[in-house]
Amino acid sequence: MSAPWHADGPALERVLADLIADEVRRLRPGGSPLPQQPWSASMAFDDSGFGLDSLERHTLAAAIAELLQLHDSTVIDALPAASTFGQYCALAREGLAQDGRRLTFRTSGSTGMPKACAHALAMLEEEADALAAHIGPRRRVLVAVPVHHIYGFIFGVLLPPSLGTHDVIDVRPLPPQALAGRLQPGDLLVSHPAHWSLLARFGPRLPADVVGTTSTAPCPDALADALLAQGLARLLQIYGSSETAGIGWRDAAGAPYTLMPHWRRAVADDAALVRSTADDGELRAVLQDVIEWLPDGRFRLAGRRDEAVQVAGINVFPARVRDVLLEHPLVEACAVRRMSPTEGERLKAFVVLRAGATPAALLSALEAWVRERLSAPECPRAWSFGDQLPADARGKLVDWPIAPSLPPQVRGCTPDN
């Protein structure tokens, strides 16, 4: 890449705007959202504008310093005093010009605090170059994901110049019908399964020569096939994580993944990968998924080692949700799992109540119980009740359908994301 990514003013502004908006949501959950992007340089965060106090602005400064690794730059002391979006951008650009060799991205943090994952910029650029060679030239890149997370940063910031374009458009505010109307031949649409499912359901037929990418969660085979039937020329599915960046790709539903060229299998450890670093060292990554390697070097995923499932692109742990429900004094037993593909994309719970408790009286209380203790993706969105957990003849827990035949009600938490 000929010029540093931060030399492209709009790219840096998009990254900082997404980061700041995310931090403000964390600081003020349920509060008024920031104005829709793009923002002017004069947009104020102090009392003259959005009204963030000094502690909140210190938090923004810390988040910017972490993402861009500005801790050793000369701008680190000035960041907390910044009060406008333009000041944040100017300080960030100055700090990156001093040393912009590494970046830090955070995991979703579905349980506990999100984890910080540091990456060398050169290795992210190597991945973007490999992706560009695999995808081929594109006229525009339309981005439906935040670019301060690693997937959005690679595909929405580093990749476009390698594809021969600087025309990057944020399409997150658009409904699927309007988005489909904006697509043109030669576009690349960077999205995720939940967003793709809306486009498949509500969008019209797509124009020719539109390529898509999807990551953050597994893309159901039926969804990938439906998008191709709708006119999408190609859907590139990316397997990776915040810790590793991209690991593999595939172009067809149900196909094995091909390992990206900068990764290779570790010797005598099917769960580990290695890649060379710029200083002639090696980076080792231990995968959270069970990998089934094929004779031709491709691989399939065979489930999570940590039993996490993905909801809205965030790893959640049904066992943790179950433990929270079991803490309720009127819950005797419960089971939690992800809905089947035909049911939805959230969690569902089957609850056995203690003697004397009735579902009709307790459902609202259970909804409030989980809302107070869990994040929105962790909250079950469908509830079923019975005298005992669903099990087979051997007593092993089995799946249960979401259906009116399972009394008495099916209803979910009030969503907030």
Side-chain angles (χ1 to χ4, degrees):
M1 296 184 180
S2 56
W5 71 269
H6 53 83
D8 178 356
L12 177 61
E13 291 166 4
R14 288 194 301 271
V15 171
L16 291 186
D18 277 353
L19 174 65
I20 290 170
D22 193 19
E23 287 300 323
V24 170
R25 282 192 293 268
R26 293 176 187 274
L27 291 167
R28 298 183 171 185
S32 300
L34 290 173
Q36 184 173 310
Q37 301 176 33
W39 298 338
S40 68
S42 61
M43 179 178 171
F45 294 93
D46 61 11
D47 289 340
S48 67
F50 196 65
L52 270 64
D53 60 30
S54 59
L55 179 58
E56 291 169 325
R57 297 206 309 276
H58 269 79
T59 302
L60 293 186
I64 293 170
E66 178 188 66
L67 171 63
L68 305 180
Q69 297 221 358
L70 302 178
H71 310 87
D72 296 325
S73 72
T74 60
V75 307
I76 188 66
D77 292 337
L79 273 173
S83 60
T84 67
F85 182 57
Q87 290 173 359
Y88 282 127
C89 292
L91 290 169
R93 189 171 288 108
E94 181 181 348
L96 287 168
Q98 297 172 23
D99 186 0
R101 293 175 296 175
R102 295 185 68 80
L103 296 160
T104 297
F105 301 94
R106 284 193 165 264
T107 59
S108 60
S110 58
T111 60
M113 293 295 292
K115 182 172 68 174
C117 306
H119 291 270
L121 177 62
M123 300 180 81
L124 301 180
E125 291 173 335
E126 180 183 30
E127 178 176 330
D129 289 341
L131 288 163
H134 189 66
I135 294 171
R138 295 281 92 189
R139 294 179 59 250
R140 305 186 306 174
V141 176
L142 284 65
V143 181
V145 294
V147 293
H148 71 298
H149 292 312
I150 192 165
Y151 170 51
F153 183 81
I154 293 173
F155 281 79
V157 175
L158 298 183
L159 180 61
S162 295
L163 297 175
T165 183
H166 289 274
D167 195 352
V168 180
I169 304 170
D170 183 358
V171 297
R172 286 173 293 175
L174 298 178
Q177 298 90 339
L179 170 58
R182 293 280 297 274
L183 290 170
Q184 300 174 7
D187 282 347
L188 175 70
L189 177 56
V190 179
S191 190
H192 55 90
H195 184 257
W196 280 117
S197 66
L198 291 176
L199 189 60
R201 181 180 178 187
F202 297 109
R205 184 164 182 83
L206 304 178
D209 193 27
V210 173
V211 173
T213 71
T214 185
S215 190
T216 73
C219 181
D221 291 347
L223 174 59
D225 290 337
L227 290 166
L228 296 181
Q230 196 170 345
L232 190 68
R234 180 181 174 195
L235 182 64
L236 181 62
Q237 300 183 38
I238 305 297
Y239 169 65
S241 68
S242 298
E243 294 89 344
T244 62
I247 289 174
W249 57 47
R250 66 181 183 182
D251 290 288
Y257 287 91
T258 296
L259 200 62
M260 290 186 179
H262 42 273
W263 288 105
R264 65 184 185 276
R265 292 176 61 181
V267 177
D269 187 350
D270 286 345
L273 300 174
V274 293
R275 68 183 291 184
S276 300
T277 61
D279 57 1
D280 297 325
E282 280 191 345
L283 175 67
R284 181 182 177 90
V286 179
L287 306 181
Q288 293 300 317
D289 293 286
V290 177
I291 302 295
E292 292 181 353
W293 292 99
L294 304 180
D296 62 3
R298 295 183 298 170
F299 64 92
R300 294 186 183 276
L301 304 179
R304 296 273 303 191
R305 296 178 184 276
D306 57 8
E307 298 184 346
V309 298
Q310 289 206 331
V311 174
I314 296 175
N315 289 333
V316 299
F317 297 83
R320 163 179 157 79
V321 179
R322 174 181 176 272
D323 289 344
V324 169
L325 282 169
L326 287 174
E327 292 172 358
H328 193 283
L330 295 180
V331 173
E332 176 71 31
C334 69
V336 178
R337 62 174 58 198
R338 196 178 189 275
M339 296 176 184
S340 70
T342 59
E343 292 172 334
E345 300 176 349
R346 304 295 289 264
L347 295 185
K348 61 181 180 179
F350 192 105
V351 179
V352 178
L353 300 177
R354 297 190 184 277
T358 62
L362 196 58
L363 179 56
S364 295
L366 287 177
E367 292 176 332
W369 181 268
V370 294
R371 279 199 303 270
E372 292 170 358
R373 292 162 174 80
L374 299 171
S375 66
E378 293 175 295
C379 286
R381 293 298 308 279
W383 299 82
S384 300
F385 297 86
D387 296 330
Q388 59 185 15
L389 295 178
D392 60 18
R394 298 170 296 172
K396 183 178 179 181
L397 183 69
V398 297
D399 195 10
W400 62 93
I402 301 176
S405 59
L406 287 176
Q409 293 171 309
V410 175
R411 200 175 74 199
C413 297
T414 301
D416 59 7
N417 81 327

